[in-house]
Amino acid sequence: MTALRQRKGSKGSKEPGPEVLCQRFNPSADPLERSSDGVWTWRTVLWVAIGWTVGISLGMLSCIYVATLHENDLWFSNIKEVEREISFRTECGLYYSYYKQMLRAPSIQQGLSELINDNATESKRTINLLRRMNIYQEVFLGVLYRILPIQAYLEPVYFYIYTVFSLQAVYVIALFITSWLLSGSWLAGALTGVWYILNRVDTTRVEFTISLRENWSLPFFALQIAAITCYLRPHLKPIQQKVVLWLMFLATLCFCLTWQFNQFILLVQALIIFTLDCLDLISTEQVTCLYLVQVSSLLSVWLLQFCNSMILGSLALSFIVAALFVKHFQRGLKTGGLAARLGKLLLHTVLVLALTFTINYLAKQALQLRSDEHIFKFIKSKFGLGPTRDFDASLYLCEEAFGLLPLDTFDRLAGTLLAYPYLVTLIVLLVLLALVILANLCDSSAVGRPPKGRCEARPICMRADVAYNLLHTVFFGLLALGTMRMKYLWTGHMCAFAAYGVCGKELWSLCLNMIHCNTKTKLRLIRYTVPLVILCFLYYKFWPKLMTEVSELREFYDPDTVELMTWISSKTPKKAVFAGSMQLLAGIKLCTGRVLTNHPHYEDRALRERTKQVYQIYAQQSPEEVHGILHAAGADFVVMEDSICYERRHGRGCRLRDLLDLANGHIMDGPGDNDPDLVHASHPRFCESIKTDGPAYTALFTRVFQNKTFHVYKLKRGKKRAQADREPVAMEDKTQ
């Protein structure tokens, strides 16, 4: 298989932040920010300019860093085109193939038409790819490359990967702005950017999974968080609120349009907003606006994706509708004493959740929606609430990326000094939040008073933007702890949150108050000194390591896959249909343009059922059964991989052949326990037995290609068999 070989701050703080774009003039602010008549001084302009320069520079550094790692790992500039395309592994290759398809189309209109009426991604089916998949980014880049005068000096593949790497700069700048807004100091932004780069292993995987949807969407998600942080700051003028809301909508729209899992992320965010509302930490107007931004973004994507039913049937949309409906009709929620308010909150939460599941159930029944059921099967199985033999759920549960977050993650985060200030900030602010919540629930006189006014009247309070970011890191942290793949939603924001703790006024004021020496000068000194000391330490410890890392040179080396793709391109018809593993077929589509029976984009029930059927080539099935399945799917060739047939990467019970045996009710291979209801299969394993060239196999399959990794067989089609197979094919067509 593939090998890599060696190749020879807050209000009143001294320094201004980006909130100058969204915060009105405060006459009590530090004189460094503005003069007494509200006009910026030259020192203010210089300080803000330095901050923006540092932020943009860190963003560009992150972009150049991941681009250099990608080039050095693969020697991308020197390998052949087919090797470049093979490097787009699994679903990355599938998505990139649509960008390639847009470029090769005779015209932009023809390219769009082919995507809307695609019959090459799934054999015997015509699907609308813009409806099924989130590939608008590939369409946009394909159109942009065609109309820009850059073809002479920039190859299409570089235009694509440089765009993705540039989004990493956007990501870092968005995190920079968030921490600057929270702390009031751009030093927090600098610390955020440095932490993000040093913790690359845990903050991004863009250098080797370029086309993954999360690499397109997470930069926009970070922009949305920055916009929410700005929107929740006090003293915004109405026109500034509208501008920020529009920016928030655009960021949310781009986030939703570029990732199929957007609805689940927005559900978590909606739960955060719901919690802030219930605990009276943000105003009713802010709650409604945030909900409406989410709803309008989801509905806009629904329209752009040709009325994709998964969006209307999403839990996020059902929850927001339920929350707004119950909030409108349940009066007096925030009145009464502590016990009364707790009872009302409990009732309010139960009503919202009950209405959410009711709306969602009715919506799915009306839309006949079952495309996302594999996600809920996975969640139920993960918590032991669902069937343990479900094939779709087991595919996820057996992958390390969908397991618990490994403990060595915290060792790496602690090594860069990120974990320590993060945990301290988290614990202190959670204690402060508990006190603020208790004060809000006990203070019946505060009903109707905005949170901003209450904060000025109490000795203990928490800004709305800080409260949102605190709950954000808690909710997404819990999500990351439960599912390792979700850590990329958490670790980037963790950098910004920890930097806020280091550079913000709240924690240092608390510490200085405890030792009775809290003065403005000492607070300012410590807020400057500590982040600078941390930055110097990180530079001293990690700069040599970074230089060593970017100087390591490797080369892409996968001769078996290159040989397979070359053979398919030169020796098979252009309309030939290939069956095999999802991961390999995505590469076949990109490198050869051949038709597929199945692919890695798993968000469709009919495709999941077909994939399970095609995978019977690795199960204990008769040659007649396998031939019938492949023929019904329209396959002309089937590719079998030794790495799957004789898999050793997973333990017993998680190998693909084991999952198929369990789903088929068969006893698994090898030593170990089996459930008592499993039985011995009546046929040997197909992928092993076909290599014996027995008469039962040679009558149905002809070996046409093989190397150390792959075995390709052509299906034989007799007249009698073709006639017998017409009926099931016709039945399949009727179900589309």
Side-chain angles (χ1 to χ4, degrees), residues 2 10 115 155 165 255 268 286 294 349 409 435 476 480 501 532 660 699 714:
T2 304
S10 62
L115 293 177
E155 296 177 64
F165 292 149
F255 165 71
V268 176
Q286 290 172 328
Q294 289 190 325
T349 303
T409 304
L435 295 175
F476 282 99
L532 288 174
L660 291 165
K714 184 176 182 179

Side-chain angles (χ1 to χ4, degrees), residues 344-557:
K344 291 178 181 179
L345 283 179
L346 179 62
L347 176 61
H348 178 71
T349 303
V350 171
L351 287 175
V352 170
L353 293 178
L355 186 57
T356 296
F357 290 116
T358 301
I359 293 173
N360 190 255
Y361 174 79
L362 294 175
K364 288 186 174 180
Q365 291 298 314
L367 298 169
Q368 297 183 338
L369 177 63
R370 302 188 68 180
S371 296
D372 59 351
E373 64 182 3
H374 65 299
I375 302 294
F376 298 103
K377 285 181 181 179
F378 160 71
I379 295 173
K380 289 191 291 185
S381 297
K382 191 175 181 69
F383 292 101
L385 303 175
T388 56
R389 293 184 189 172
D390 183 82
F391 179 75
D392 297 326
S394 298
L395 276 180
Y396 287 100
L397 289 171
C398 286
E399 288 298 324
E400 183 183 5
F402 292 93
L404 299 176
L405 188 68
L407 293 178
D408 61 356
T409 304
F410 300 99
D411 293 333
R412 292 191 298 270
L413 297 175
T416 60
L417 302 184
L418 172 60
Y420 304 116
Y422 174 79
L423 290 175
V424 171
T425 305
L426 182 65
I427 293 170
V428 172
L429 289 183
L430 283 175
V431 172
L432 179 61
L433 179 65
L435 295 175
V436 172
I437 291 171
L438 185 62
N440 287 347
L441 294 177
C442 293
D443 188 4
S444 58
S445 63
V447 177
R449 194 192 311 169
K452 177 178 62 178
R454 264 178 277 141
C455 197
E456 294 172 352
R458 291 177 183 167
I460 298 178
C461 67
M462 180 175 286
R463 298 191 335 243
D465 56 337
V466 174
Y468 171 81
N469 280 275
L470 173 61
L471 291 184
H472 182 99
T473 196
V474 169
F475 277 60
F476 282 99
L478 293 174
L479 185 64
L481 291 173
T483 305
M484 186 183 76
R485 187 176 178 182
M486 297 295 107
K487 72 176 180 179
Y488 301 105
L489 290 161
W490 177 50
T491 48
H493 185 266
M494 177 194 290
C495 298
F497 191 77
Y500 156 67
V502 172
C503 302
K505 293 174 61 177
E506 288 81 355
L507 294 183
W508 292 121
S509 295
L510 180 63
C511 293
L512 292 175
N513 283 331
M514 291 176 63
I515 58 176
H516 306 289
C517 61
N518 187 9
T519 64
K520 190 174 182 179
T521 302
K522 292 178 180 177
L523 178 61
R524 185 179 301 160
L525 178 64
I526 199 169
R527 289 178 62 217
Y528 285 145
T529 304
V530 173
L532 288 174
V533 169
I534 293 176
L535 287 171
C536 291
F537 171 79
L538 294 176
Y539 175 83
Y540 174 78
K541 182 178 180 181
F542 290 100
W543 183 256
K545 294 181 180 180
L546 287 180
M547 292 298 99
T548 302
E549 186 179 21
V550 298
S551 64
E552 291 178 353
L553 303 178
R554 296 184 175 90
E555 179 182 358
F556 177 87
Y557 185 69

Side-chain angles (χ1 to χ4, degrees), residues 112-125:
L112 289 172
S113 177
E114 290 175 358
L115 293 177
I116 294 173
N117 302 282
D118 179 90
N119 52 18
T121 301
E122 296 177 19
S123 57
K124 293 191 173 183
R125 295 171 180 167

Side-chain angles (χ1 to χ4, degrees), residues 611-647:
T611 298
K612 181 181 176 182
Q613 289 299 308
V614 170
Y615 276 8
Q616 297 302 313
I617 60 177
Y618 297 110
Q620 301 176 79
Q621 297 287 3
S622 68
E624 293 80 11
E625 178 71 18
V626 173
H627 187 278
I629 290 171
L630 296 177
H631 190 275
D636 299 310
F637 298 88
V638 57
V639 186
M640 280 174 280
E641 304 166 65
D642 287 346
S643 59
I644 298 179
C645 190
Y646 306 106
E647 181 184 0

